[in-house]
Amino acid sequence: MKSSTSHASRFTFHPALPPRAWQPGPLHWLLAGSHVAGVASILVQPALWPWAVGAMCGSHALNFAYGLAPSSAALGPVISKLPTPAAQRGEIGLTFDDGPDADVTPRVLDLLDEAGAQATFFCVGARARAHPHLVREIAARGHAVENHAFDHSRAMGFYGVGRLVRDIGDAQKTLADITGSAPKFFRPPFGIRTPLTEPALARLGLRCVAWNVRSLDSVDSRADRVAARIARRLAPGAIVLMHDGIEGRRRPATAGAPSVIGALPLVLATLREHAWRSVTLRSALPA
């Protein structure tokens, strides 16, 4: 019998997150309608096949385009900002993707502690399995641990529903086993969704989270520019995207600190200046 911690064991639904009904977005209906109409037109008038195929391909192109728009609800419900009551309380959601990282994550946690701020960490399952003590430390310091897929694969946009459920579910089980609490939210790697993402999340009982303030800290090495980019759009109710893992994976050993380490104190200072408060998504969003 395979170990419950083996990647091959796959996911069994966590009792805290029962499957939910999936909610088709406008492009789901467009995709289905274009295919039904296309096949019907070919059956009735075969000479129309080039137009029918063109219409079906066009609907796929639209789905692809909107899949690259993280905050769009065209492919199903997505949370890209905090609800109005949270904004009225001056709350902001600082979020960190792609960790945990042995070097960067502890430094981010220390900076948050110094400011008395709480944040949400979207952890990669494979990295969490490699550094479970860091995941436990995130939770122990009062932050939220959420799901960022198991492998963070660049091919995830080509997965079918079954493979999406397995990959996201593996991360779900890994993170629940480590922290004792199942993640409630999922952020797609690279922010990319497909028409199959929402059906997979519905089976797992997860809700999709994007952002409305992007730091670009994964590609910009200048901490001052990263902080200024965030500050320009920062307002109550914002969900801010930063990274505690990706730069730690890619930067050379001789490189300096990743930009998030220099930018985060400036962002936290901006929050203090306006009397805003960073909170976890779990505390700000309705259950």
Side-chain angles (χ1 to χ4, degrees):
M1 183 174 180
K2 293 178 180 177
S3 167
S4 62
T5 59
S6 167
H7 190 196
S9 67
R10 294 308 179 190
F11 176 71
T12 54
F13 293 113
H14 194 284
L17 293 179
R20 58 174 174 81
W22 77 277
Q23 303 174 48
L27 288 183
H28 285 106
W29 296 111
L30 176 64
L31 188 65
S34 68
H35 281 66
V36 170
V39 170
S41 65
I42 291 172
L43 292 175
V44 173
Q45 182 56 265
L48 294 177
W49 74 264
W51 297 96
V53 171
M56 288 187 277
C57 290
S59 68
H60 279 282
L62 274 176
N63 275 278
F64 175 77
Y66 275 94
L68 300 175
S71 61
S72 171
L75 288 170
V78 60
I79 299 163
S80 58
K81 60 182 180 180
L82 301 184
T84 300
Q88 291 173 340
R89 294 191 297 266
E91 294 177 355
I92 286 170
L94 297 181
T95 67
F96 297 88
D97 282 13
D98 294 3
D101 177 271
D103 175 42
V104 180
T105 302
R107 298 163 76 182
V108 167
L109 290 174
D110 287 344
L111 291 170
L112 293 170
D113 277 357
E114 290 170 9
Q118 292 183 317
T120 299
F121 289 76
F122 284 92
C123 294
V124 177
R127 294 176 67 80
R129 186 168 288 179
H131 305 287
H133 62 291
L134 290 177
V135 179
R136 285 190 287 268
E137 185 70 13
I138 291 170
R141 296 204 196 187
H143 308 292
V145 173
E146 305 296 350
N147 192 322
H148 198 41
F150 190 88
D151 288 319
H152 202 281
S153 172
R154 295 182 181 275
M156 202 166 185
F158 301 96
Y159 287 1
V161 172
R163 189 165 180 186
L164 283 169
V165 169
R166 288 194 299 271
D167 187 275
I168 300 168
D170 281 339
Q172 189 76 352
K173 185 176 190 306
T174 296
L175 297 170
D177 285 348
I178 292 171
T179 66
S181 176
K184 296 179 181 293
F185 303 107
F186 170 75
R187 177 172 283 161
F190 312 106
I192 296 175
R193 289 182 295 154
T194 74
L196 304 181
T197 303
E198 165 58 16
L201 295 182
R203 286 182 59 182
L204 297 167
L206 289 162
R207 290 191 286 166
C208 188
V209 171
W211 59 84
N212 63 352
V213 178
R214 187 172 189 173
S215 67
L216 296 180
D217 61 344
S218 61
V219 294
D220 191 341
S221 61
R222 286 272 303 274
D224 57 340
R225 286 195 304 233
V226 170
R229 190 176 293 117
I230 295 172
R232 280 196 298 269
R233 299 193 60 192
L234 199 60
I239 296 179
V240 183
L241 170 64
M242 291 180 281
H243 295 82
D244 69 319
I246 191 166
E247 289 191 334
R249 244 185 357 255
R250 291 181 175 176
R251 72 183 189 280
T254 56
S259 59
V260 68
I261 299 301
L264 183 54
L266 302 176
V267 173
L268 293 168
T270 300
L271 266 62
R272 286 195 301 272
E273 179 184 344
H274 292 87
W276 297 335
R277 189 165 60 100
S278 176
V279 300
T280 66
L281 297 183
R282 293 188 182 206
S283 69
L285 292 164

